Amino acid sequence: MRGVIGAGFLSLALCAVQSRAQEAPGSPPADPDALEAGTLPVPPLPPGANLPAVDPVIPDSEFNAAIPPLDANDDAELDRPLESITDFERRLAADQAGVAPTEGQAAPLGDPALADGDATEEVGDAPVRDAELTAPLPSIDQFEVAPVQFAEDASDEQKDAEVAYRTQIDGLDLADKETDAGLKSQFNSLSALKSGDGKAANVAMVSARLNEDSELVRNVLASEGWFDPVVRARIDRSAVADGPPLTAVIAVTPGKRYALAGIVVQADPTDPPGLIADNLALKVGEPIVAPRIQGAEAQVALALPQNGYPFAEVGQRDILLDRDTGGGVYTLPVTVGPKARYGGFETEGNLAFDARHVAVLARFDRGELYDSREIDDLRKALVATGLFSTISVEPRRTGQPAGDGTEYVTVHVNQNAGPPRTIAGSAGYAAGQGFTLEGTWTHRNMFPPEGALIAHGIAGTQEQGAGVTFRRSNAGRRDRTFEVVAEALHSNYDAYSAYTGRLAARISRDSTPIWQKRWTYAYGVQLLGTAEKDYDFTRAARNRRTFYIGGLTGQLGYDRTDDLLDPTRGFRLTALVEPEGSLGDGFNPYVRARIDASGYYPVGDSLVLAGRVRFGTIQGASRFDIAPSRRFYSGGGGSVRGFGYQKLGPLDPNGDPIGGRSLNEAAAEVRYRFGNFGVVGFVDAGQSYAATMPRFTDLRYGVGIGGRFYTNFGPLRVDVATPIDRRPGEARFNLYVSIGQAF
């Protein structure tokens, strides 16, 4: 008996041996007449063969005496030719005409003359008693057809009475004790009887579900190694007066559980030699379990391409079962194929860029041993560019030897470029910032390869501006981005009012929703020209001053969180350093530096504890020599909630913020998620200072609660907060709406 493991369950194929007679060599062919008569000729006996004498069952004399002799008249009658059917019917009618039945004899069937004694009969038209048959047909416009009414549309009174039943499974627990697969749970989740919820239209439907579940029990048992169960099904009348009238019973005797008696792999040698055996996680003596066997085969199919065999194929398994021993010999054929090394790249289709740029995205070089994980990585990198509607990457044989018994393979990329232009927008609201609308127009491949042109604008109650950005992704190497930005911005806040022009260039390695990187960096240069109003203590008024600022920027990040937009575990560290020089009343160099750290700790599946700290300092210049937009401020949705934007820190005599040269902030959140929604409770603290180092004094606290709606691009955030120990002029409540967590 042989078995074949299918997808999901193990099914057995019994091997039967069909016997057939073989003709002796040299024997004559069978006579067709004899075959038609149902007999076969007896082949001649070999020379010298003698058959044993057998007494006849009936002697010839007794047989001949039992046959009656034939006289001459009989012989003549037998020799007479048969008459035709027409002559036979005519003679029969003549013989029966005028012949009355004898006393006690019924008239011949179908003869009306003999039935009533009258030899002359006149047959008239059949009587018509149904007036509808003689009525004229209705006209077409009066012809009506009643519509068919389906059972589900019928009223409660029209529906057939339902049959109630309960389901009883006996004996499955015996097999369940030997495995942790939860056989009964599997049965309940797939059962037709269970899905019927104990109700059926009639008994026939209950019987059909019972037969279906009987086969389901066999499949569930076979998936865990029981191939010879005895499954009996019946429908019992219930003896319980207040229960369902029917009980669908499936009685199971699991029988013997089969185990692996041998493992045979049919494959050519591999390098290293134990590559297949080491990844086929099966052992002699363990039960024949379908998921384990399928998982072991999948591991082999995965390991071979990861170790230089891109064209390996795992064939159809075969399991030979022995009923006597309860063992099964498992045989797996594997086609290994040639061992390969990377050759070149080729691409075809509607191209977004050429094969040369494909090589830039690859993390392997020519001559390295083939690894399917690197091919998957290249495919993901191509998808991450956002330039394709469809993309595929596959190896192709070249037949060129690469040494050490290997050959080169070409990495073939079939690409279909998608629409390159996108329009995006966002909106938000925060206390102190008002409403903000942002929009972008992007051509992602205006300057191939991956040279994007981005136009962006912002329109808000307190901030307006526009700009253009050129960005080249994967510039010369994987994950490196080069961009140049030119923008103009107007800001009107309580802290300052500014008209700013900015020109900047930078090179960076950043995380994206597809590629969240552990290490990130950015460095560049920027030039700013800004005219800003600032409070002049010597004049006791706000005056507009012009600053020309040039500087460098450098940023380094380390990310060990599990998600870019909604982390639930891990931590992040980011350090920013910006050496700058300001031309206002002379040249004033200084350094801006900031450190951010956040951590996330899950408590169960739905609760996350999150925390954040931030420190900042400006060294090398007085506050008056630093443009107001380049100073540090605290307060707002991304800082200390419960306070308006930039409201914390040094104030002028009118109570408006003027910014500081240092800051410290901290926040703690308890995030609870249920489905696509969440609730957050938080406490924020912080302050900015006129000194160059944070003093950790006069800390202000805000508390609040927020709601989250989780989407596939990140959570939508709505937070409401209030300040603790609220001071005159501070709002009782502050509202913040944006995309993404607060940190």
Side-chain angles (χ1 to χ4, degrees), residues 589-642:
Y590 56 90
V591 176
R592 300 175 77 248
R594 194 183 70 206
I595 296 177
D596 291 85
S598 59
Y600 311 89
Y601 182 78
V603 181
D605 296 332
S606 303
L607 193 65
V608 176
L609 304 180
R612 174 187 70 87
V613 294
R614 172 181 293 170
F615 302 100
T617 181
I618 300 177
Q619 300 285 336
S622 66
R623 182 178 62 189
F624 183 78
D625 294 329
I626 303 171
S629 61
R630 306 300 292 168
R631 301 170 188 170
F632 285 130
Y633 300 87
S634 289
S639 177
V640 182
R641 288 164 289 184

Short mmCIF file of all heavy atoms in Angstrom, two decimals, residues 589-642:
data_model
loop_
_atom_site.label_atom_id
_atom_site.label_comp_id
_atom_site.label_asym_id
_atom_site.label_seq_id
_atom_site.Cartn_x
_atom_site.Cartn_y
_atom_site.Cartn_z
N PRO A 589 29.67 82.82 14.94
CA PRO A 589 29.60 81.36 14.80
C PRO A 589 29.06 80.72 16.09
O PRO A 589 29.29 81.21 17.19
CB PRO A 589 31.04 80.95 14.55
CG PRO A 589 31.85 82.00 15.24
CD PRO A 589 31.06 83.28 15.16
N TYR A 590 28.36 79.62 15.93
CA TYR A 590 27.84 78.87 17.06
C TYR A 590 27.51 77.44 16.60
O TYR A 590 27.56 77.14 15.39
CB TYR A 590 26.59 79.54 17.65
CG TYR A 590 25.47 79.76 16.64
CD1 TYR A 590 24.49 78.78 16.43
CD2 TYR A 590 25.40 80.95 15.91
CE1 TYR A 590 23.47 78.99 15.51
CE2 TYR A 590 24.39 81.16 15.00
CZ TYR A 590 23.42 80.18 14.79
OH TYR A 590 22.43 80.37 13.88
N VAL A 591 27.18 76.60 17.56
CA VAL A 591 26.85 75.20 17.27
C VAL A 591 25.53 74.85 17.94
O VAL A 591 25.38 75.06 19.15
CB VAL A 591 27.97 74.24 17.77
CG1 VAL A 591 27.55 72.79 17.54
CG2 VAL A 591 29.28 74.54 17.08
N ARG A 592 24.62 74.35 17.17
CA ARG A 592 23.35 73.82 17.69
C ARG A 592 23.48 72.29 17.80
O ARG A 592 23.93 71.64 16.85
CB ARG A 592 22.17 74.15 16.79
CG ARG A 592 21.95 75.64 16.60
CD ARG A 592 20.83 75.92 15.61
NE ARG A 592 19.50 75.73 16.19
CZ ARG A 592 18.65 74.78 15.86
NH1 ARG A 592 18.99 73.86 14.95
NH2 ARG A 592 17.46 74.70 16.45
N ALA A 593 23.07 71.73 18.92
CA ALA A 593 23.15 70.27 19.11
C ALA A 593 21.90 69.81 19.84
O ALA A 593 21.38 70.51 20.72
CB ALA A 593 24.40 69.89 19.90
N ARG A 594 21.44 68.61 19.48
CA ARG A 594 20.24 68.06 20.10
C ARG A 594 20.33 66.55 20.12
O ARG A 594 20.83 65.93 19.17
CB ARG A 594 18.99 68.49 19.35
CG ARG A 594 17.69 68.26 20.10
CD ARG A 594 16.49 68.64 19.25
NE ARG A 594 16.31 67.71 18.16
CZ ARG A 594 15.71 68.00 17.01
NH1 ARG A 594 15.27 69.23 16.80
NH2 ARG A 594 15.56 67.10 16.07
N ILE A 595 19.86 65.95 21.21
CA ILE A 595 19.82 64.49 21.35
C ILE A 595 18.39 64.08 21.70
O ILE A 595 17.79 64.64 22.63
CB ILE A 595 20.80 64.00 22.44
CG1 ILE A 595 22.24 64.33 22.05
CG2 ILE A 595 20.63 62.50 22.66
CD1 ILE A 595 23.25 63.93 23.12
N ASP A 596 17.87 63.11 20.95
CA ASP A 596 16.53 62.55 21.20
C ASP A 596 16.65 61.06 21.46
O ASP A 596 17.42 60.36 20.76
CB ASP A 596 15.61 62.78 20.01
CG ASP A 596 15.26 64.24 19.82
OD1 ASP A 596 16.05 64.96 19.16
OD2 ASP A 596 14.22 64.66 20.32
N ALA A 597 15.90 60.56 22.43
CA ALA A 597 15.87 59.13 22.73
C ALA A 597 14.44 58.74 23.09
O ALA A 597 13.73 59.49 23.78
CB ALA A 597 16.81 58.77 23.87
N SER A 598 14.01 57.59 22.61
CA SER A 598 12.67 57.08 22.94
C SER A 598 12.74 55.57 23.09
O SER A 598 13.58 54.90 22.47
CB SER A 598 11.65 57.47 21.86
OG SER A 598 12.04 56.96 20.59
N GLY A 599 11.86 55.04 23.92
CA GLY A 599 11.81 53.60 24.17
C GLY A 599 10.38 53.11 24.25
O GLY A 599 9.45 53.87 24.60
N TYR A 600 10.19 51.80 23.94
CA TYR A 600 8.86 51.21 23.87
C TYR A 600 8.91 49.81 24.47
O TYR A 600 9.79 49.01 24.15
CB TYR A 600 8.39 51.15 22.41
CG TYR A 600 8.58 52.46 21.69
CD1 TYR A 600 9.79 52.73 21.03
CD2 TYR A 600 7.60 53.44 21.69
CE1 TYR A 600 10.00 53.94 20.38
CE2 TYR A 600 7.80 54.66 21.04
CZ TYR A 600 9.00 54.90 20.39
OH TYR A 600 9.20 56.11 19.77
N TYR A 601 7.92 49.54 25.34
CA TYR A 601 7.89 48.26 26.02
C TYR A 601 6.47 47.71 26.02
O TYR A 601 5.55 48.35 26.54
CB TYR A 601 8.39 48.40 27.46
CG TYR A 601 8.42 47.11 28.22
CD1 TYR A 601 9.46 46.19 28.02
CD2 TYR A 601 7.43 46.78 29.13
CE1 TYR A 601 9.49 45.00 28.71
CE2 TYR A 601 7.46 45.58 29.83
CZ TYR A 601 8.49 44.69 29.61
OH TYR A 601 8.52 43.50 30.29
N PRO A 602 6.26 46.52 25.41
CA PRO A 602 4.90 45.96 25.37
C PRO A 602 4.56 45.25 26.68
O PRO A 602 5.37 44.52 27.24
CB PRO A 602 4.97 44.97 24.21
CG PRO A 602 6.40 44.53 24.17
CD PRO A 602 7.21 45.71 24.64
N VAL A 603 3.34 45.48 27.16
CA VAL A 603 2.81 44.77 28.32
C VAL A 603 1.59 44.00 27.82
O VAL A 603 0.49 44.53 27.75
CB VAL A 603 2.42 45.73 29.45
CG1 VAL A 603 1.90 44.95 30.65
CG2 VAL A 603 3.60 46.59 29.85
N GLY A 604 1.80 42.76 27.43
CA GLY A 604 0.72 42.00 26.81
C GLY A 604 0.60 42.33 25.34
O GLY A 604 1.46 43.00 24.74
N ASP A 605 -0.50 41.89 24.74
CA ASP A 605 -0.69 42.07 23.30
C ASP A 605 -1.28 43.43 22.94
O ASP A 605 -1.14 43.88 21.81
CB ASP A 605 -1.62 40.97 22.76
CG ASP A 605 -1.01 39.59 22.90
OD1 ASP A 605 0.23 39.51 22.90
OD2 ASP A 605 -1.78 38.62 23.01
N SER A 606 -1.93 44.10 23.88
CA SER A 606 -2.67 45.32 23.55
C SER A 606 -2.15 46.56 24.24
O SER A 606 -2.58 47.67 23.92
CB SER A 606 -4.16 45.14 23.91
OG SER A 606 -4.72 44.02 23.25
N LEU A 607 -1.25 46.42 25.19
CA LEU A 607 -0.79 47.55 26.00
C LEU A 607 0.69 47.79 25.77
O LEU A 607 1.50 46.87 25.82
CB LEU A 607 -1.06 47.28 27.47
CG LEU A 607 -0.93 48.47 28.43
CD1 LEU A 607 -2.00 49.51 28.12
CD2 LEU A 607 -1.05 47.99 29.87
N VAL A 608 1.05 49.07 25.52
CA VAL A 608 2.45 49.46 25.28
C VAL A 608 2.76 50.66 26.15
O VAL A 608 1.99 51.63 26.22
CB VAL A 608 2.69 49.81 23.80
CG1 VAL A 608 4.12 50.32 23.60
CG2 VAL A 608 2.43 48.61 22.91
N LEU A 609 3.91 50.60 26.83
CA LEU A 609 4.43 51.73 27.58
C LEU A 609 5.51 52.40 26.73
O LEU A 609 6.42 51.74 26.22
CB LEU A 609 5.03 51.28 28.91
CG LEU A 609 4.10 50.49 29.84
CD1 LEU A 609 4.84 50.12 31.13
CD2 LEU A 609 2.84 51.27 30.16
N ALA A 610 5.40 53.73 26.57
CA ALA A 610 6.34 54.46 25.72
C ALA A 610 6.87 55.67 26.47
O ALA A 610 6.15 56.30 27.27
CB ALA A 610 5.67 54.89 24.42
N GLY A 611 8.14 56.02 26.21
CA GLY A 611 8.75 57.17 26.87
C GLY A 611 9.71 57.88 25.94
O GLY A 611 10.25 57.28 24.99
N ARG A 612 9.93 59.17 26.20
CA ARG A 612 10.80 59.98 25.34
C ARG A 612 11.51 61.03 26.18
O ARG A 612 10.94 61.59 27.12
CB ARG A 612 9.97 60.67 24.26
CG ARG A 612 10.75 61.67 23.39
CD ARG A 612 9.81 62.42 22.46
NE ARG A 612 8.94 63.35 23.17
CZ ARG A 612 9.26 64.61 23.47
NH1 ARG A 612 10.45 65.10 23.14
NH2 ARG A 612 8.40 65.40 24.10
N VAL A 613 12.79 61.34 25.82
CA VAL A 613 13.53 62.45 26.41
C VAL A 613 14.23 63.22 25.29
O VAL A 613 14.55 62.65 24.23
CB VAL A 613 14.57 61.97 27.45
CG1 VAL A 613 13.87 61.35 28.65
CG2 VAL A 613 15.55 60.98 26.83
N ARG A 614 14.46 64.50 25.54
CA ARG A 614 15.15 65.35 24.56
C ARG A 614 15.97 66.39 25.30
O ARG A 614 15.50 66.99 26.28
CB ARG A 614 14.14 66.04 23.63
CG ARG A 614 14.76 67.09 22.70
CD ARG A 614 13.70 67.75 21.85
NE ARG A 614 13.12 66.80 20.90
CZ ARG A 614 12.04 67.05 20.16
NH1 ARG A 614 11.40 68.20 20.30
NH2 ARG A 614 11.60 66.15 19.32
N PHE A 615 17.19 66.60 24.80
CA PHE A 615 18.07 67.63 25.34
C PHE A 615 18.64 68.44 24.18
O PHE A 615 18.99 67.87 23.14
CB PHE A 615 19.21 67.02 26.15
CG PHE A 615 18.75 66.17 27.30
CD1 PHE A 615 18.73 64.79 27.19
CD2 PHE A 615 18.34 66.76 28.48
CE1 PHE A 615 18.31 64.01 28.25
CE2 PHE A 615 17.92 65.99 29.54
CZ PHE A 615 17.90 64.61 29.42
N GLY A 616 18.75 69.76 24.37
CA GLY A 616 19.32 70.61 23.34
C GLY A 616 20.16 71.73 23.92
O GLY A 616 19.92 72.19 25.05
N THR A 617 21.15 72.16 23.13
CA THR A 617 22.01 73.25 23.57
C THR A 617 22.53 74.02 22.36
O THR A 617 22.69 73.45 21.26
CB THR A 617 23.20 72.72 24.40
OG1 THR A 617 24.01 73.81 24.83
CG2 THR A 617 24.05 71.76 23.59
N ILE A 618 22.77 75.31 22.57
CA ILE A 618 23.43 76.16 21.57
C ILE A 618 24.64 76.78 22.25
O ILE A 618 24.51 77.48 23.27
CB ILE A 618 22.49 77.26 21.04
CG1 ILE A 618 21.25 76.64 20.39
CG2 ILE A 618 23.22 78.15 20.05
CD1 ILE A 618 20.25 77.68 19.91
N GLN A 619 25.79 76.54 21.66
CA GLN A 619 27.04 77.00 22.24
C GLN A 619 27.73 77.99 21.29
O GLN A 619 27.74 77.77 20.08
CB GLN A 619 27.98 75.81 22.49
CG GLN A 619 27.44 74.76 23.43
CD GLN A 619 27.47 75.19 24.87
OE1 GLN A 619 28.27 76.06 25.27
NE2 GLN A 619 26.62 74.58 25.70
N GLY A 620 28.29 79.08 21.88
CA GLY A 620 29.17 79.94 21.10
C GLY A 620 28.63 81.29 20.76
O GLY A 620 29.34 82.11 20.15
N ALA A 621 27.37 81.60 21.09
CA ALA A 621 26.83 82.91 20.74
C ALA A 621 25.76 83.29 21.76
O ALA A 621 25.16 82.45 22.41
CB ALA A 621 26.24 82.90 19.33
N SER A 622 25.57 84.62 21.89
CA SER A 622 24.51 85.10 22.77
C SER A 622 23.16 84.91 22.08
O SER A 622 23.08 84.74 20.86
CB SER A 622 24.72 86.58 23.10
OG SER A 622 24.58 87.37 21.94
N ARG A 623 22.12 84.95 22.89
CA ARG A 623 20.79 84.74 22.31
C ARG A 623 20.47 85.83 21.29
O ARG A 623 19.85 85.55 20.25
CB ARG A 623 19.75 84.72 23.42
CG ARG A 623 18.33 84.46 22.90
CD ARG A 623 17.35 84.39 24.04
NE ARG A 623 17.31 85.68 24.76
CZ ARG A 623 16.66 85.86 25.90
NH1 ARG A 623 16.02 84.85 26.47
NH2 ARG A 623 16.66 87.04 26.49
N PHE A 624 20.87 87.06 21.54
CA PHE A 624 20.54 88.17 20.64
C PHE A 624 21.18 87.98 19.26
O PHE A 624 20.64 88.46 18.26
CB PHE A 624 21.00 89.50 21.26
CG PHE A 624 20.64 90.69 20.46
CD1 PHE A 624 19.35 91.21 20.48
CD2 PHE A 624 21.60 91.32 19.66
CE1 PHE A 624 19.02 92.32 19.71
CE2 PHE A 624 21.27 92.43 18.90
CZ PHE A 624 19.98 92.94 18.92
N ASP A 625 22.34 87.31 19.21
CA ASP A 625 23.04 87.12 17.93
C ASP A 625 22.53 85.91 17.15
O ASP A 625 23.00 85.67 16.04
CB ASP A 625 24.53 86.94 18.19
CG ASP A 625 25.16 88.21 18.74
OD1 ASP A 625 24.68 89.31 18.38
OD2 ASP A 625 26.10 88.10 19.55
N ILE A 626 21.60 85.18 17.71
CA ILE A 626 21.03 84.00 17.05
C ILE A 626 19.65 84.36 16.52
O ILE A 626 18.84 84.95 17.25
CB ILE A 626 20.93 82.81 18.03
CG1 ILE A 626 22.30 82.49 18.62
CG2 ILE A 626 20.35 81.60 17.33
CD1 ILE A 626 22.24 81.49 19.76
N ALA A 627 19.40 84.07 15.27
CA ALA A 627 18.09 84.36 14.69
C ALA A 627 17.00 83.68 15.50
O ALA A 627 17.17 82.55 15.95
CB ALA A 627 18.04 83.89 13.24
N PRO A 628 15.88 84.36 15.75
CA PRO A 628 14.81 83.76 16.57
C PRO A 628 14.35 82.39 16.06
O PRO A 628 14.02 81.51 16.86
CB PRO A 628 13.69 84.79 16.48
CG PRO A 628 14.39 86.10 16.25
CD PRO A 628 15.57 85.75 15.38
N SER A 629 14.34 82.17 14.74
CA SER A 629 13.88 80.88 14.21
C SER A 629 14.89 79.76 14.46
O SER A 629 14.55 78.59 14.30
CB SER A 629 13.61 80.99 12.71
OG SER A 629 14.79 81.34 12.01
N ARG A 630 16.12 80.10 14.88
CA ARG A 630 17.15 79.09 15.13
C ARG A 630 17.32 78.82 16.62
O ARG A 630 18.19 78.03 16.99
CB ARG A 630 18.50 79.53 14.54
CG ARG A 630 18.47 79.92 13.08
CD ARG A 630 18.03 78.76 12.21
NE ARG A 630 19.01 77.69 12.21
CZ ARG A 630 18.78 76.47 11.73
NH1 ARG A 630 17.57 76.16 11.25
NH2 ARG A 630 19.73 75.55 11.76
N ARG A 631 16.53 79.45 17.49
CA ARG A 631 16.61 79.20 18.92
C ARG A 631 15.76 77.99 19.28
O ARG A 631 15.04 77.43 18.45
CB ARG A 631 16.13 80.44 19.69
CG ARG A 631 16.95 81.69 19.38
CD ARG A 631 16.29 82.93 19.98
NE ARG A 631 16.96 84.16 19.53
CZ ARG A 631 16.49 85.38 19.73
NH1 ARG A 631 15.34 85.55 20.39
NH2 ARG A 631 17.15 86.43 19.29
N PHE A 632 15.83 77.58 20.56
CA PHE A 632 15.05 76.45 21.05
C PHE A 632 13.77 76.94 21.72
O PHE A 632 13.77 77.93 22.48
CB PHE A 632 15.87 75.64 22.07
CG PHE A 632 16.93 74.78 21.43
CD1 PHE A 632 18.24 74.83 21.91
CD2 PHE A 632 16.64 73.93 20.38
CE1 PHE A 632 19.23 74.04 21.34
CE2 PHE A 632 17.62 73.14 19.80
CZ PHE A 632 18.93 73.20 20.28
N TYR A 633 12.69 76.20 21.46
CA TYR A 633 11.40 76.48 22.07
C TYR A 633 10.79 75.16 22.56
O TYR A 633 11.06 74.08 22.02
CB TYR A 633 10.43 77.12 21.07
CG TYR A 633 10.91 78.44 20.51
CD1 TYR A 633 11.74 78.47 19.39
CD2 TYR A 633 10.55 79.64 21.10
CE1 TYR A 633 12.18 79.67 18.87
CE2 TYR A 633 10.99 80.85 20.59
CZ TYR A 633 11.81 80.86 19.47
OH TYR A 633 12.25 82.06 18.97
N SER A 634 9.93 75.25 23.56
CA SER A 634 9.18 74.09 24.05
C SER A 634 7.70 74.41 24.03
O SER A 634 7.30 75.58 24.09
CB SER A 634 9.61 73.73 25.48
OG SER A 634 10.90 73.17 25.51
N GLY A 635 6.91 73.33 24.00
CA GLY A 635 5.46 73.48 23.99
C GLY A 635 4.89 73.14 22.63
O GLY A 635 5.44 73.49 21.59
N GLY A 636 3.77 72.41 22.65
CA GLY A 636 3.11 72.05 21.40
C GLY A 636 2.95 70.56 21.23
O GLY A 636 3.35 69.75 22.09
N GLY A 637 2.38 70.16 20.10
CA GLY A 637 2.05 68.76 19.87
C GLY A 637 3.23 67.83 19.80
O GLY A 637 3.15 66.67 20.21
N GLY A 638 4.38 68.28 19.30
CA GLY A 638 5.56 67.43 19.23
C GLY A 638 6.54 67.71 20.34
O GLY A 638 7.68 67.24 20.30
N SER A 639 6.10 68.45 21.34
CA SER A 639 6.99 68.85 22.42
C SER A 639 6.34 68.56 23.77
O SER A 639 6.36 67.43 24.23
CB SER A 639 7.34 70.34 22.27
OG SER A 639 8.14 70.79 23.32
N VAL A 640 5.74 69.57 24.38
CA VAL A 640 5.04 69.39 25.66
C VAL A 640 3.57 69.72 25.41
O VAL A 640 3.20 70.89 25.27
CB VAL A 640 5.63 70.30 26.76
CG1 VAL A 640 4.90 70.05 28.08
CG2 VAL A 640 7.12 70.05 26.91
N ARG A 641 2.75 68.67 25.32
CA ARG A 641 1.32 68.87 25.09
C ARG A 641 0.66 69.45 26.34
O ARG A 641 1.06 69.17 27.45
CB ARG A 641 0.67 67.54 24.72
CG ARG A 641 1.02 67.06 23.31
CD ARG A 641 0.71 65.59 23.12
NE ARG A 641 1.64 64.75 23.87
CZ ARG A 641 1.64 63.42 23.82
NH1 ARG A 641 0.77 62.78 23.04
NH2 ARG A 641 2.51 62.73 24.54
N GLY A 642 -0.38 70.22 26.11
CA GLY A 642 -1.03 70.96 27.18
C GLY A 642 -0.72 72.44 27.09
O GLY A 642 -1.39 73.27 27.74
#
